[in-house]
Amino acid sequence: MTTVYYSPGACSLAVHIVLEWIGAPYEAVKSKIGSEELKAVNPNGSVPVLKEDDGWVLTQAGAILDYLAHKHPEAGLTGGDSLRAKAEAHRWSSFFTSDMHAAFWPVFMPFRYTTDESAEARAKVKAAGQEIARKQFAALNAHLAGREWILDGRSVIDAYAFPMIRWGQAMLPGGLADFPEVQRLHDKLAADPAVQKVLAREGGK
């Protein structure tokens, strides 16, 4: 059975959601980031981690989501099979990995980005991260205008977006008020029964 190691509120939420959408049996293991138990399957101590029943382990959310989409084509979560559709899927996966996710590191961990230990310095780092994140949400908001999903049909990319949209809702001044298309996607995903099931399992985090 496929096993996913997750931490509530982290981007592993995306993998958890996709496994529910697929509907095949899986096990979800709640893990503490950096714990020895998690390092036993991923030496970096980070989530998500996917482990197959033959012992094969895959890390990195984008890679896991792409793997699951193509392992289970019957679920229709790839976003399309043409060369350009695949390129768009990789484009948006890279966007969430590199642009959106990275924008939040200064927000979550400002101490990593300054040698000045004062509260004022860390507040400035956090504010800079929030502004970068807002730019990424503006790009996503523009892309979503007139679209139901990020790609042509519901895909793993929508699941990938969801935890980061939730971060924006919680961590940006004004939340998503300036990004109505992003808010619409959030609400659509939040109303999905599979997403609600996962959020309940993860404790609503």
Side-chain angles (χ1 to χ4, degrees):
M1 184 183 296
T2 297
T3 301
V4 60
Y5 295 82
Y6 74 93
S7 181
C11 63
S12 52
L13 174 62
V15 177
H16 209 163
I17 289 169
V18 165
L19 286 166
E20 279 296 323
W21 281 349
I22 289 168
Y26 73 94
E27 180 182 5
V29 178
K30 185 177 180 180
S31 306
K32 183 179 179 180
I33 294 173
S35 68
E36 293 305 314
E37 292 79 8
L38 187 57
K39 287 180 179 179
V41 289
N42 178 12
N44 286 335
S46 60
V47 293
V49 181
L50 190 83
K51 185 176 181 180
E52 294 288 32
D53 54 11
D54 63 356
W56 182 69
V57 172
L58 184 62
T59 63
Q60 304 298 330
I64 294 170
L65 293 170
D66 183 69
Y67 168 73
L68 289 173
H70 289 90
K71 180 186 178 185
H72 297 278
E74 73 282 357
L77 296 174
T78 63
D81 295 325
S82 72
L83 179 61
R84 291 188 177 183
K86 291 177 181 178
E88 285 290 328
H90 285 298
R91 167 198 176 188
W92 285 101
S93 180
S94 296
F95 170 82
F96 286 110
T97 298
S98 300
D99 297 335
M100 185 70 83
H101 195 292
F104 278 99
W105 283 119
V107 179
F108 290 137
M109 300 181 185
F111 58 87
R112 285 186 173 182
Y113 297 89
T114 178
T115 57
D116 187 335
E117 297 182 1
S118 69
E120 180 183 5
R122 293 185 178 184
K124 288 181 178 179
V125 170
K126 181 176 179 179
Q130 289 170 325
E131 186 57 32
I132 295 169
R134 283 181 57 82
K135 291 178 181 178
Q136 308 310 335
F137 277 113
L140 178 60
N141 195 73
H143 173 73
L144 285 168
R147 305 179 63 92
E148 186 175 4
W149 305 102
I150 296 173
L151 303 180
D152 292 335
R154 188 183 71 169
S155 73
V156 295
I157 302 302
D158 300 298
Y160 202 5
F162 188 62
M164 296 181 219
I165 293 173
R166 283 166 57 85
W167 298 346
Q169 192 175 54
M171 302 295 291
L172 296 183
L176 301 175
D178 292 335
F179 313 109
E181 297 296 334
V182 177
Q183 182 70 62
R184 178 183 55 78
L185 179 61
H186 169 275
D187 294 348
K188 187 178 184 68
L189 289 165
D192 182 282
V195 174
Q196 292 180 354
K197 180 179 178 180
V198 171
L199 288 176
R201 180 181 293 148
E202 293 200 4
K205 301 294 185 181

